[in-house]
Amino acid sequence: MNKKLTLLFLFLSIIVFAQKSTLFLIGDSTMANKENPDKNPEHGWGQVLPQFLTTGIEVQNHAMNGRSSKSFRTEGRWDKVEKQLKKGDFVVIQFGHNDQKIKDSTKFTNPYTQYRANLERYVNETRAKGATPILMTSIVRRNFTENGVLVDTHKEYPLVVRMVANDLKVPFVDMQLLTEQMEISYGPENSKKLHLHFTEGENPYYPKGKADDTHLSKLGAETVAKLALKDLKSLKIGLEKYIK
C-alpha cells in the first residue's frame, strides 16, 4: 500500500512539474543575459528578473545581443521558444533597437510594414500554443541635450508596438514611458549610474573606459526589471501571482 501511495505521489509530482508555467523573454541586448556577471558591469534587465519572481514559474531568457524582430526569427531562435510553448506560459516580446539598423539588411525592418508584421506573427503564434503574449516598447537610451531634455531615439517603432497591442488586444507594457520617466528622475548626470560610464582605469572590465548610454548597469537592469514587473502585476493576466 505504501509503495502504491509513493508511486502515486511521484506521478502527481511529475504532472505538477510538467505543468509549471514558463516566462519566455525574446528581445535584444538590453534584455539579454551577459557573460561573467560577477565581473561584467553590464546586465540585461531580463538577466536580473528571476530574483524578483517566485520559484513557481520558470524563466527562460532567449534575448540576444544585436537581434531584431527579423533576425531573431531567421536565426531559428524563435523556433526554440515556439516548440516549448504550452498553455499557461507567457512570452515577453521586446524588439526595436536593432530593427532601426538601416545599414544591416539582416536586421532592419520598416516599422509600419515588416516590423509590424513580425510582431503580429509572434503574438499569433504564441496564442496558437495557448500561451499569453506580452508586448513591450523598447527601453529608452540616455540621450539628454545640453539643456537637460531627454530626446527619443526610437522614432516610429514604439508607436507601432502600441498599435499592434491595441489592435490585437495584447497585454502591453510601455517600457519607453517607464524608462523615460526613470531617466528624467535621475537627471542628466546621475542617470549615468543606470548605464555604463567609466573613466580610464576606473573599472578592470573596461580598462580604457566606457561611455555607453544604451546598455544597463546592474542598478539600471534591476530598476528597469522592477518597473516592468510593477506594470505586469497590474495587467492581471495570471503572472502577478509569481511576482514577489
PDB file of all heavy atoms in Angstrom, residues 66-92:
ATOM      1  N   GLY A  66      22.128  42.275 -30.218  1.00  0.00           N
ATOM      2  CA  GLY A  66      22.119  42.611 -31.640  1.00  0.00           C
ATOM      3  C   GLY A  66      20.979  42.048 -32.458  1.00  0.00           C
ATOM      4  O   GLY A  66      20.971  42.185 -33.683  1.00  0.00           O
ATOM      5  N   ARG A  67      19.991  41.440 -31.820  1.00  0.00           N
ATOM      6  CA  ARG A  67      18.909  40.820 -32.597  1.00  0.00           C
ATOM      7  C   ARG A  67      17.729  41.766 -32.788  1.00  0.00           C
ATOM      8  O   ARG A  67      17.407  42.574 -31.912  1.00  0.00           O
ATOM      9  CB  ARG A  67      18.428  39.531 -31.932  1.00  0.00           C
ATOM     10  CG  ARG A  67      19.188  38.306 -32.405  1.00  0.00           C
ATOM     11  CD  ARG A  67      20.657  38.447 -32.205  1.00  0.00           C
ATOM     12  NE  ARG A  67      21.430  37.331 -32.735  1.00  0.00           N
ATOM     13  CZ  ARG A  67      22.737  37.193 -32.530  1.00  0.00           C
ATOM     14  NH1 ARG A  67      23.401  38.085 -31.819  1.00  0.00           N
ATOM     15  NH2 ARG A  67      23.386  36.173 -33.044  1.00  0.00           N
ATOM     16  N   SER A  68      17.108  41.638 -33.935  1.00  0.00           N
ATOM     17  CA  SER A  68      15.906  42.412 -34.253  1.00  0.00           C
ATOM     18  C   SER A  68      14.727  41.456 -34.359  1.00  0.00           C
ATOM     19  O   SER A  68      14.896  40.236 -34.263  1.00  0.00           O
ATOM     20  CB  SER A  68      16.092  43.147 -35.589  1.00  0.00           C
ATOM     21  OG  SER A  68      16.083  42.226 -36.668  1.00  0.00           O
ATOM     22  N   SER A  69      13.544  42.002 -34.581  1.00  0.00           N
ATOM     23  CA  SER A  69      12.360  41.142 -34.738  1.00  0.00           C
ATOM     24  C   SER A  69      12.515  40.220 -35.942  1.00  0.00           C
ATOM     25  O   SER A  69      11.903  39.156 -36.011  1.00  0.00           O
ATOM     26  CB  SER A  69      11.102  42.000 -34.900  1.00  0.00           C
ATOM     27  OG  SER A  69      11.132  42.718 -36.124  1.00  0.00           O
ATOM     28  N   LYS A  70      13.371  40.622 -36.859  1.00  0.00           N
ATOM     29  CA  LYS A  70      13.632  39.830 -38.073  1.00  0.00           C
ATOM     30  C   LYS A  70      14.693  38.758 -37.823  1.00  0.00           C
ATOM     31  O   LYS A  70      14.458  37.566 -38.038  1.00  0.00           O
ATOM     32  CB  LYS A  70      14.082  40.758 -39.195  1.00  0.00           C
ATOM     33  CG  LYS A  70      14.432  40.065 -40.505  1.00  0.00           C
ATOM     34  CD  LYS A  70      14.894  41.099 -41.527  1.00  0.00           C
ATOM     35  CE  LYS A  70      15.236  40.453 -42.865  1.00  0.00           C
ATOM     36  NZ  LYS A  70      15.672  41.470 -43.855  1.00  0.00           N
ATOM     37  N   SER A  71      15.876  39.169 -37.359  1.00  0.00           N
ATOM     38  CA  SER A  71      16.989  38.226 -37.222  1.00  0.00           C
ATOM     39  C   SER A  71      16.755  37.198 -36.121  1.00  0.00           C
ATOM     40  O   SER A  71      17.267  36.080 -36.188  1.00  0.00           O
ATOM     41  CB  SER A  71      18.305  38.973 -36.974  1.00  0.00           C
ATOM     42  OG  SER A  71      18.280  39.686 -35.756  1.00  0.00           O
ATOM     43  N   PHE A  72      15.973  37.539 -35.114  1.00  0.00           N
ATOM     44  CA  PHE A  72      15.657  36.584 -34.052  1.00  0.00           C
ATOM     45  C   PHE A  72      14.934  35.372 -34.627  1.00  0.00           C
ATOM     46  O   PHE A  72      15.154  34.237 -34.190  1.00  0.00           O
ATOM     47  CB  PHE A  72      14.795  37.243 -32.975  1.00  0.00           C
ATOM     48  CG  PHE A  72      14.677  36.437 -31.707  1.00  0.00           C
ATOM     49  CD1 PHE A  72      15.634  36.525 -30.709  1.00  0.00           C
ATOM     50  CD2 PHE A  72      13.600  35.572 -31.504  1.00  0.00           C
ATOM     51  CE1 PHE A  72      15.539  35.768 -29.539  1.00  0.00           C
ATOM     52  CE2 PHE A  72      13.488  34.823 -30.340  1.00  0.00           C
ATOM     53  CZ  PHE A  72      14.460  34.919 -29.359  1.00  0.00           C
ATOM     54  N   ARG A  73      14.117  35.610 -35.640  1.00  0.00           N
ATOM     55  CA  ARG A  73      13.396  34.508 -36.285  1.00  0.00           C
ATOM     56  C   ARG A  73      14.263  33.801 -37.327  1.00  0.00           C
ATOM     57  O   ARG A  73      14.308  32.566 -37.360  1.00  0.00           O
ATOM     58  CB  ARG A  73      12.118  35.029 -36.945  1.00  0.00           C
ATOM     59  CG  ARG A  73      11.284  33.938 -37.598  1.00  0.00           C
ATOM     60  CD  ARG A  73      10.053  34.502 -38.271  1.00  0.00           C
ATOM     61  NE  ARG A  73       9.072  34.965 -37.314  1.00  0.00           N
ATOM     62  CZ  ARG A  73       8.168  34.178 -36.701  1.00  0.00           C
ATOM     63  NH1 ARG A  73       8.136  32.883 -36.967  1.00  0.00           N
ATOM     64  NH2 ARG A  73       7.295  34.685 -35.866  1.00  0.00           N
ATOM     65  N   THR A  74      14.945  34.565 -38.171  1.00  0.00           N
ATOM     66  CA  THR A  74      15.704  33.944 -39.259  1.00  0.00           C
ATOM     67  C   THR A  74      16.849  33.077 -38.738  1.00  0.00           C
ATOM     68  O   THR A  74      17.271  32.134 -39.412  1.00  0.00           O
ATOM     69  CB  THR A  74      16.278  35.007 -40.224  1.00  0.00           C
ATOM     70  OG1 THR A  74      17.089  35.933 -39.493  1.00  0.00           O
ATOM     71  CG2 THR A  74      15.165  35.767 -40.925  1.00  0.00           C
ATOM     72  N   GLU A  75      17.342  33.382 -37.531  1.00  0.00           N
ATOM     73  CA  GLU A  75      18.414  32.579 -36.936  1.00  0.00           C
ATOM     74  C   GLU A  75      17.891  31.337 -36.215  1.00  0.00           C
ATOM     75  O   GLU A  75      18.670  30.570 -35.639  1.00  0.00           O
ATOM     76  CB  GLU A  75      19.215  33.434 -35.953  1.00  0.00           C
ATOM     77  CG  GLU A  75      20.024  34.532 -36.626  1.00  0.00           C
ATOM     78  CD  GLU A  75      20.744  35.416 -35.622  1.00  0.00           C
ATOM     79  OE1 GLU A  75      20.599  35.173 -34.400  1.00  0.00           O
ATOM     80  OE2 GLU A  75      21.454  36.334 -36.051  1.00  0.00           O
ATOM     81  N   GLY A  76      16.581  31.160 -36.212  1.00  0.00           N
ATOM     82  CA  GLY A  76      15.986  29.980 -35.593  1.00  0.00           C
ATOM     83  C   GLY A  76      15.780  30.089 -34.095  1.00  0.00           C
ATOM     84  O   GLY A  76      15.425  29.107 -33.434  1.00  0.00           O
ATOM     85  N   ARG A  77      15.987  31.278 -33.551  1.00  0.00           N
ATOM     86  CA  ARG A  77      15.852  31.452 -32.103  1.00  0.00           C
ATOM     87  C   ARG A  77      14.390  31.348 -31.653  1.00  0.00           C
ATOM     88  O   ARG A  77      14.103  30.840 -30.571  1.00  0.00           O
ATOM     89  CB  ARG A  77      16.464  32.786 -31.677  1.00  0.00           C
ATOM     90  CG  ARG A  77      17.942  32.854 -31.964  1.00  0.00           C
ATOM     91  CD  ARG A  77      18.585  34.176 -31.575  1.00  0.00           C
ATOM     92  NE  ARG A  77      19.976  34.206 -32.009  1.00  0.00           N
ATOM     93  CZ  ARG A  77      20.979  33.624 -31.369  1.00  0.00           C
ATOM     94  NH1 ARG A  77      20.753  32.977 -30.229  1.00  0.00           N
ATOM     95  NH2 ARG A  77      22.207  33.686 -31.829  1.00  0.00           N
ATOM     96  N   TRP A  78      13.483  31.850 -32.474  1.00  0.00           N
ATOM     97  CA  TRP A  78      12.069  31.754 -32.137  1.00  0.00           C
ATOM     98  C   TRP A  78      11.587  30.309 -32.181  1.00  0.00           C
ATOM     99  O   TRP A  78      10.746  29.896 -31.374  1.00  0.00           O
ATOM    100  CB  TRP A  78      11.222  32.627 -33.064  1.00  0.00           C
ATOM    101  CG  TRP A  78       9.746  32.429 -32.876  1.00  0.00           C
ATOM    102  CD1 TRP A  78       8.845  31.953 -33.780  1.00  0.00           C
ATOM    103  CD2 TRP A  78       8.981  32.698 -31.685  1.00  0.00           C
ATOM    104  NE1 TRP A  78       7.584  31.886 -33.247  1.00  0.00           N
ATOM    105  CE2 TRP A  78       7.635  32.346 -31.954  1.00  0.00           C
ATOM    106  CE3 TRP A  78       9.297  33.187 -30.421  1.00  0.00           C
ATOM    107  CZ2 TRP A  78       6.623  32.475 -31.011  1.00  0.00           C
ATOM    108  CZ3 TRP A  78       8.290  33.312 -29.473  1.00  0.00           C
ATOM    109  CH2 TRP A  78       6.967  32.968 -29.774  1.00  0.00           C
ATOM    110  N   ASP A  79      12.120  29.518 -33.115  1.00  0.00           N
ATOM    111  CA  ASP A  79      11.734  28.111 -33.217  1.00  0.00           C
ATOM    112  C   ASP A  79      11.956  27.378 -31.895  1.00  0.00           C
ATOM    113  O   ASP A  79      11.131  26.564 -31.471  1.00  0.00           O
ATOM    114  CB  ASP A  79      12.549  27.408 -34.314  1.00  0.00           C
ATOM    115  CG  ASP A  79      12.108  27.816 -35.711  1.00  0.00           C
ATOM    116  OD1 ASP A  79      10.985  28.342 -35.839  1.00  0.00           O
ATOM    117  OD2 ASP A  79      12.882  27.617 -36.663  1.00  0.00           O
ATOM    118  N   LYS A  80      13.082  27.680 -31.231  1.00  0.00           N
ATOM    119  CA  LYS A  80      13.407  27.025 -29.958  1.00  0.00           C
ATOM    120  C   LYS A  80      12.387  27.363 -28.878  1.00  0.00           C
ATOM    121  O   LYS A  80      12.076  26.540 -28.018  1.00  0.00           O
ATOM    122  CB  LYS A  80      14.808  27.446 -29.498  1.00  0.00           C
ATOM    123  CG  LYS A  80      15.918  26.932 -30.396  1.00  0.00           C
ATOM    124  CD  LYS A  80      17.277  27.437 -29.921  1.00  0.00           C
ATOM    125  CE  LYS A  80      18.387  26.973 -30.856  1.00  0.00           C
ATOM    126  NZ  LYS A  80      19.718  27.494 -30.448  1.00  0.00           N
ATOM    127  N   VAL A  81      11.868  28.591 -28.936  1.00  0.00           N
ATOM    128  CA  VAL A  81      10.855  29.014 -27.969  1.00  0.00           C
ATOM    129  C   VAL A  81       9.501  28.411 -28.321  1.00  0.00           C
ATOM    130  O   VAL A  81       8.833  27.803 -27.472  1.00  0.00           O
ATOM    131  CB  VAL A  81      10.743  30.555 -27.927  1.00  0.00           C
ATOM    132  CG1 VAL A  81       9.593  30.993 -27.023  1.00  0.00           C
ATOM    133  CG2 VAL A  81      12.054  31.182 -27.456  1.00  0.00           C
ATOM    134  N   GLU A  82       9.125  28.557 -29.566  1.00  0.00           N
ATOM    135  CA  GLU A  82       7.792  28.116 -30.007  1.00  0.00           C
ATOM    136  C   GLU A  82       7.562  26.629 -29.765  1.00  0.00           C
ATOM    137  O   GLU A  82       6.462  26.208 -29.375  1.00  0.00           O
ATOM    138  CB  GLU A  82       7.600  28.439 -31.494  1.00  0.00           C
ATOM    139  CG  GLU A  82       6.179  28.211 -31.971  1.00  0.00           C
ATOM    140  CD  GLU A  82       6.008  28.469 -33.458  1.00  0.00           C
ATOM    141  OE1 GLU A  82       7.023  28.545 -34.170  1.00  0.00           O
ATOM    142  OE2 GLU A  82       4.859  28.580 -33.903  1.00  0.00           O
ATOM    143  N   LYS A  83       8.596  25.820 -29.958  1.00  0.00           N
ATOM    144  CA  LYS A  83       8.464  24.376 -29.769  1.00  0.00           C
ATOM    145  C   LYS A  83       8.148  24.003 -28.320  1.00  0.00           C
ATOM    146  O   LYS A  83       7.565  22.959 -28.046  1.00  0.00           O
ATOM    147  CB  LYS A  83       9.756  23.673 -30.209  1.00  0.00           C
ATOM    148  CG  LYS A  83       9.941  23.614 -31.715  1.00  0.00           C
ATOM    149  CD  LYS A  83      11.289  23.020 -32.079  1.00  0.00           C
ATOM    150  CE  LYS A  83      11.488  23.029 -33.591  1.00  0.00           C
ATOM    151  NZ  LYS A  83      12.850  22.533 -33.958  1.00  0.00           N
ATOM    152  N   GLN A  84       8.541  24.862 -27.390  1.00  0.00           N
ATOM    153  CA  GLN A  84       8.328  24.581 -25.967  1.00  0.00           C
ATOM    154  C   GLN A  84       7.023  25.147 -25.427  1.00  0.00           C
ATOM    155  O   GLN A  84       6.578  24.748 -24.349  1.00  0.00           O
ATOM    156  CB  GLN A  84       9.465  25.184 -25.144  1.00  0.00           C
ATOM    157  CG  GLN A  84      10.842  24.664 -25.457  1.00  0.00           C
ATOM    158  CD  GLN A  84      11.876  25.325 -24.571  1.00  0.00           C
ATOM    159  OE1 GLN A  84      11.898  25.120 -23.353  1.00  0.00           O
ATOM    160  NE2 GLN A  84      12.736  26.140 -25.161  1.00  0.00           N
ATOM    161  N   LEU A  85       6.433  26.089 -26.137  1.00  0.00           N
ATOM    162  CA  LEU A  85       5.277  26.810 -25.608  1.00  0.00           C
ATOM    163  C   LEU A  85       4.103  25.894 -25.303  1.00  0.00           C
ATOM    164  O   LEU A  85       3.789  24.987 -26.065  1.00  0.00           O
ATOM    165  CB  LEU A  85       4.818  27.886 -26.606  1.00  0.00           C
ATOM    166  CG  LEU A  85       5.677  29.151 -26.702  1.00  0.00           C
ATOM    167  CD1 LEU A  85       5.094  30.095 -27.752  1.00  0.00           C
ATOM    168  CD2 LEU A  85       5.780  29.854 -25.356  1.00  0.00           C
ATOM    169  N   LYS A  86       3.463  26.178 -24.173  1.00  0.00           N
ATOM    170  CA  LYS A  86       2.272  25.425 -23.775  1.00  0.00           C
ATOM    171  C   LYS A  86       1.294  26.375 -23.078  1.00  0.00           C
ATOM    172  O   LYS A  86       1.640  27.518 -22.744  1.00  0.00           O
ATOM    173  CB  LYS A  86       2.670  24.280 -22.842  1.00  0.00           C
ATOM    174  CG  LYS A  86       3.265  24.745 -21.522  1.00  0.00           C
ATOM    175  CD  LYS A  86       3.742  23.573 -20.685  1.00  0.00           C
ATOM    176  CE  LYS A  86       4.276  24.018 -19.334  1.00  0.00           C
ATOM    177  NZ  LYS A  86       5.373  24.989 -19.403  1.00  0.00           N
ATOM    178  N   LYS A  87       0.112  25.880 -22.871  1.00  0.00           N
ATOM    179  CA  LYS A  87      -0.910  26.665 -22.186  1.00  0.00           C
ATOM    180  C   LYS A  87      -0.417  27.063 -20.786  1.00  0.00           C
ATOM    181  O   LYS A  87       0.144  26.237 -20.065  1.00  0.00           O
ATOM    182  CB  LYS A  87      -2.196  25.853 -22.068  1.00  0.00           C
ATOM    183  CG  LYS A  87      -3.377  26.653 -21.533  1.00  0.00           C
ATOM    184  CD  LYS A  87      -4.655  25.827 -21.556  1.00  0.00           C
ATOM    185  CE  LYS A  87      -5.828  26.655 -21.040  1.00  0.00           C
ATOM    186  NZ  LYS A  87      -7.098  25.878 -21.051  1.00  0.00           N
ATOM    187  N   GLY A  88      -0.599  28.319 -20.446  1.00  0.00           N
ATOM    188  CA  GLY A  88      -0.165  28.806 -19.144  1.00  0.00           C
ATOM    189  C   GLY A  88       1.171  29.523 -19.163  1.00  0.00           C
ATOM    190  O   GLY A  88       1.576  30.141 -18.177  1.00  0.00           O
ATOM    191  N   ASP A  89       1.873  29.450 -20.292  1.00  0.00           N
ATOM    192  CA  ASP A  89       3.146  30.149 -20.437  1.00  0.00           C
ATOM    193  C   ASP A  89       2.927  31.617 -20.834  1.00  0.00           C
ATOM    194  O   ASP A  89       1.836  32.008 -21.251  1.00  0.00           O
ATOM    195  CB  ASP A  89       4.019  29.474 -21.498  1.00  0.00           C
ATOM    196  CG  ASP A  89       4.592  28.147 -21.026  1.00  0.00           C
ATOM    197  OD1 ASP A  89       4.563  27.891 -19.805  1.00  0.00           O
ATOM    198  OD2 ASP A  89       5.055  27.360 -21.880  1.00  0.00           O
ATOM    199  N   PHE A  90       3.988  32.399 -20.715  1.00  0.00           N
ATOM    200  CA  PHE A  90       3.965  33.821 -21.085  1.00  0.00           C
ATOM    201  C   PHE A  90       5.183  34.118 -21.959  1.00  0.00           C
ATOM    202  O   PHE A  90       6.252  33.546 -21.751  1.00  0.00           O
ATOM    203  CB  PHE A  90       4.020  34.707 -19.839  1.00  0.00           C
ATOM    204  CG  PHE A  90       2.923  34.444 -18.845  1.00  0.00           C
ATOM    205  CD1 PHE A  90       3.075  33.476 -17.857  1.00  0.00           C
ATOM    206  CD2 PHE A  90       1.731  35.163 -18.888  1.00  0.00           C
ATOM    207  CE1 PHE A  90       2.067  33.222 -16.935  1.00  0.00           C
ATOM    208  CE2 PHE A  90       0.718  34.919 -17.982  1.00  0.00           C
ATOM    209  CZ  PHE A  90       0.884  33.944 -16.995  1.00  0.00           C
ATOM    210  N   VAL A  91       5.009  35.024 -22.919  1.00  0.00           N
ATOM    211  CA  VAL A  91       6.120  35.439 -23.774  1.00  0.00           C
ATOM    212  C   VAL A  91       6.194  36.960 -23.818  1.00  0.00           C
ATOM    213  O   VAL A  91       5.266  37.619 -24.304  1.00  0.00           O
ATOM    214  CB  VAL A  91       5.985  34.895 -25.219  1.00  0.00           C
ATOM    215  CG1 VAL A  91       7.200  35.322 -26.052  1.00  0.00           C
ATOM    216  CG2 VAL A  91       5.841  33.387 -25.234  1.00  0.00           C
ATOM    217  N   VAL A  92       7.282  37.515 -23.288  1.00  0.00           N
ATOM    218  CA  VAL A  92       7.521  38.953 -23.390  1.00  0.00           C
ATOM    219  C   VAL A  92       8.259  39.212 -24.696  1.00  0.00           C
ATOM    220  O   VAL A  92       9.314  38.619 -24.954  1.00  0.00           O
ATOM    221  CB  VAL A  92       8.346  39.479 -22.200  1.00  0.00           C
ATOM    222  CG1 VAL A  92       8.759  40.936 -22.434  1.00  0.00           C
ATOM    223  CG2 VAL A  92       7.539  39.371 -20.912  1.00  0.00           C
TER     224      VAL A  92
END
